[in-house]
Amino acid sequence: MASRESGRPVSGVQENGRPAAGPGGSGEPAVQARGSGEPVMTKTSATVGAAPGYRPSATLPFGAEFRRQASRRRTQLALGFMVLLPLIILIAFQFDSGDDDNGGGEFASLVEFATTGGLNFTLFTIFVSASFLLVVVVALFCGDTVASEASWGSLRYLLAIPVPRARLLTVKLLVALTYSAIALALLAGTALLAGTLRYGWSPLRSLVAAELAPGEGLLRLLAVLGYLAVVMLVVAGLAFLLSVVTDAALGAVGGAVLLWILSSILDQITALGVLRTFLPTHYSNAWLGLLSTPVQTDDVVRGCISAISYATLFWGLAFWRFTRKDVTS
């Protein structure tokens, strides 16, 4: 049945007798009739009935989300602290009295060789940051991304633009991973620059390897950063999953950090035996093998496989959950 004034189909029926596409449908009827005459709502798409020129792939561009996150105070503070930490460590070394009684063991040795060159200072900064600070920063970027939108009440408006749910998650995840990589690069880059200016460009030394020439030492450091970036994917995946299932950004960030710490504690319990190898933190320190002579890569490969597997699982669960949940905030 068609309207005489506009010629458009009404009551969900076109002039040729086929069902009309509902608002936001993709050719599927918004209403179907049962034999009893009662209407039944069916799932529709958001592309038909939208404004001319609407393309789901053009919604929420990566650049727009990147700039939006850059303007947030937590992003600026997190990245700023990545630059500030190496400078704080450098200043702290200037107050070192040189006494050997103020510390001992492995950490004292690390402090001692940290002041022998820029590469060594960078390695020390990475060593003291990898187990906790980087975990917190990555969890902050990835755990705050969706939960913060829900807590502000802006998530449903993003989806009403309409932005497809899978695209919204993809863009937000890519932006969070990009900022996590920037944070890691800022930490290492600032430490290398400040350490080189203060202590010079010297060979790389470590407790597990012979002295390495500066060029080779730099390559080893880059390999260490690459491995740490892969390991942090586990934290990113876990925080992102928690960000999807909760509306509290602090809960998502804190939950990811606490679960990482719990896994680290369990990994120290030798009674668990082979079960420890399945913990996401079991290979978190395998990057030390990249500094040995010769290079030990067995645990590095296992760590990469473990991290990518866990991250893929967590991201898959996040997409599965978000594409099926009711967004009311």
Side-chain angles (χ1 to χ4, degrees):
M1 182 183 299
S3 170
R4 295 180 180 178
E5 291 80 2
S6 61
R8 295 180 178 177
V10 296
S11 301
V13 181
Q14 296 177 347
E15 289 182 329
N16 58 7
R18 299 180 63 184
S26 58
E28 298 179 358
V31 179
Q32 292 179 343
R34 286 180 180 171
S36 60
E38 295 181 0
V40 179
M41 300 304 296
T42 61
K43 184 179 179 180
T44 61
S45 172
T47 56
V48 176
Y54 167 75
R55 290 183 297 116
S57 60
T59 57
L60 195 63
F62 177 89
E65 179 65 15
F66 186 88
R67 291 189 296 270
R68 180 168 173 266
Q69 295 299 326
S71 64
R72 294 190 56 187
R73 185 61 58 85
R74 59 93 164 155
T75 303
Q76 298 167 359
L77 290 177
L79 295 181
F81 189 74
M82 292 295 100
V83 175
L84 188 61
L85 178 63
L87 302 180
I88 294 176
I89 297 175
L90 189 66
I91 294 174
F93 283 166
Q94 306 311 307
F95 291 95
D96 186 9
S97 61
D99 296 336
D100 295 333
D101 298 333
N102 57 3
E106 182 180 354
F107 189 78
S109 300
L110 289 173
V111 173
E112 181 181 353
F113 84 76
T115 59
T116 60
L119 293 174
N120 301 303
F121 181 77
T122 305
L123 180 60
F124 176 83
T125 303
I126 293 174
F127 178 80
V128 298
S129 306
S131 60
F132 185 73
L133 177 63
L134 289 179
V135 174
V136 173
V137 171
V138 172
L140 177 64
F141 284 130
C142 296
D144 185 62
T145 180
V146 178
S148 60
E149 298 283 0
S151 63
W152 297 334
S154 57
L155 183 57
R156 55 183 173 181
Y157 296 108
L158 281 174
L159 297 176
I161 289 178
V163 179
R165 294 192 178 199
R167 177 169 179 79
L168 183 142
L169 281 190
T170 300
V171 172
K172 284 190 169 293
L173 176 60
L174 290 177
V175 170
L177 292 178
T178 300
Y179 275 112
S180 299
I182 292 175
L184 181 59
L186 282 177
L187 177 68
T190 304
L192 182 60
L193 178 61
T196 301
L197 292 176
R198 177 64 182 85
Y199 303 116
W201 183 250
S202 303
L204 178 65
R205 297 169 52 196
S206 72
L207 301 178
V208 293
E211 188 174 272
L212 300 173
E216 184 180 357
L218 180 60
L219 292 178
R220 298 283 187 99
L221 279 181
L222 291 177
V224 168
L225 291 176
Y227 180 73
L228 284 176
V230 174
V231 170
M232 289 299 108
L233 291 179
V234 179
V235 182
L238 182 57
F240 194 71
L241 174 60
L242 294 177
S243 182
V244 167
V245 300
T246 181
D247 292 348
L250 183 60
V253 176
V257 174
L258 289 177
L259 289 175
W260 181 267
I261 294 175
L262 176 61
S263 177
S264 300
I265 294 174
L266 292 176
D267 190 46
Q268 302 302 316
I269 303 177
T270 56
L272 294 177
V274 71
L275 293 179
R276 294 189 302 157
T277 61
F278 296 98
L279 294 171
T281 57
H282 183 70
Y283 299 103
S284 59
N285 292 326
W287 58 270
L288 292 173
L290 297 173
L291 301 173
S292 63
T293 304
V295 177
Q296 304 294 324
T297 59
D298 291 344
D299 283 348
V300 171
V301 173
R302 296 188 185 99
C304 289
I305 295 175
S306 174
I308 293 174
S309 299
Y310 272 110
T312 302
L313 174 63
F314 293 146
W315 290 333
L317 290 174
F319 275 80
W320 180 85
R321 171 61 177 151
F322 190 72
T323 54
R324 286 163 175 79
K325 69 179 295 188
D326 291 330
V327 177
T328 59
S329 55

